[in-house]
């Protein structure tokens, strides 16, 4: 399933392929209106609000919204008063140390599989119908003993799948800045 997760994550922020009436294809990058820059900060309440606004302005349905974020992003968000204070929110996130159930209209998914370049992590918010996954061939696994290799076991797995953005307005890329724990503590600890 991690293979499928990686396909979906790559499709969310990578190039989609558009096909016109003449069957000509072209690459379509995620639009700048669907991106929130890191701005040298982690995941903030303001970025979550901006994500919600972008989806609302794109007429994205309220249900079935998801937000994939790194553990550092969750930690950053849990330091925001608007998230943790019962004056703003009834979820009581500090008791669980994470966001459980819907928050700001999204189901939150913590993952370490999101792309990171330098100190910028790419998080993704999407509606269920905004990303498509096609599985052409379900996973097939073959395990056999190779007599020609001193009876070593060989495992062969085969799957055919692909993913793409289906509707641009239903996917938002949210970049956050993450500080490496090694850098934060003042040096390389090996």
């Amino acid at each position: 399933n991690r293979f499928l997760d990686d396909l979906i994550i790559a499709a969310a922020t990578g190039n989609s392929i558009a096909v016109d009436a003449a069957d000509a294809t072209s690459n379509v990058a995620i639009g700048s209106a669907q991106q929130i820059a890191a701005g040298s900060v982690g995941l903030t309440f303001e970025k979550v609000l901006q994500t919600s606004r972008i989806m609302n302005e794109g007429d994205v349905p309220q249900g079935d919204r998801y937000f994939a974020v790194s553990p550092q992003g969750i930690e950053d968000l849990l330091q925001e008063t608007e998230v943790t204070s019962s004056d703003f929110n009834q979820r009581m996130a500090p008791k669980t140390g994470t966001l459980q159930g819907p928050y700001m209209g999204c189901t939150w998914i913590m993952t370490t599989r999101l792309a990171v370049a330098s100190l910028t992590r790419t998080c993704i918010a999407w509606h269920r119908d905004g990303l498509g996954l096609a599985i052409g061939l379900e996973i097939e696994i073959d395990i056999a003993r190779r007599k020609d290799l001193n009876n070593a076991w060989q495992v062969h797995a085969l799957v055919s799948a692909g993913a793409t953005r289906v509707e641009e307005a239903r996917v938002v890329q949210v970049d956050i800045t993450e500080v490496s724990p090694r850098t934060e503590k003042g040096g390389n600890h090996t």
Side-chain angles (χ1 to χ4, degrees):
N1 287 334
R2 289 183 181 181
F3 167 75
L4 297 177
D5 290 345
D6 291 343
L7 282 178
I8 293 167
I9 290 168
T13 59
N15 286 334
S16 292
I17 298 176
V19 181
D20 65 15
D23 284 338
T25 61
S26 60
N27 288 328
V28 179
I30 191 166
S32 60
Q34 299 302 116
Q35 297 179 30
I36 299 172
S40 299
V41 295
L43 187 59
T44 62
F45 183 70
E46 288 77 20
K47 286 184 180 185
V48 175
L49 280 177
Q50 187 178 359
T51 301
S52 181
R53 179 187 50 78
I54 289 170
M55 292 180 112
N56 291 339
E57 288 175 349
D59 292 325
V60 177
Q62 293 293 316
D64 294 321
R65 290 183 182 184
Y66 300 89
F67 207 124
V69 64
S70 67
Q72 172 101 35
I74 292 287
E75 180 181 326
D76 293 342
L77 197 56
L78 289 176
Q79 293 179 29
E80 298 276 319
T81 303
E82 293 87 352
V83 176
T84 58
S85 173
S86 61
D87 293 338
F88 295 94
N89 153 14
Q90 299 301 313
R91 289 267 171 225
M92 300 304 288
K95 286 186 178 180
T96 61
T98 189
L99 296 172
Q100 293 182 334
Y103 176 71
M104 293 294 294
C106 293
T107 299
W108 292 77
I109 301 168
M110 184 171 53
T111 179
T112 58
R113 305 203 64 82
L114 298 167
V116 63
S118 186
L119 296 178
T120 302
R121 171 90 57 186
T122 299
C123 299
I124 307 159
W126 74 98
H127 183 271
R128 179 184 56 143
D129 295 336
L131 294 171
L133 172 68
I135 300 176
L137 175 66
E138 290 286 339
I139 191 162
E140 292 180 7
I141 299 174
D142 180 45
I143 303 173
R145 182 171 283 179
R146 297 271 313 260
K147 293 188 185 274
D148 60 328
L149 294 174
N150 292 329
N151 291 322
W153 288 96
Q154 176 176 308
V155 178
H156 179 75
L158 181 67
V159 66
S160 176
T164 191
R165 284 189 312 279
V166 176
E167 187 176 339
E168 299 295 320
R170 294 180 184 223
V171 180
V172 179
Q173 175 180 325
V174 182
D175 290 337
I176 64 173
T177 299
E178 291 187 348
V179 178
S180 166
R182 292 179 187 267
T183 305
E184 188 178 49
K185 292 179 182 174
N188 190 358
H189 302 281
T190 54

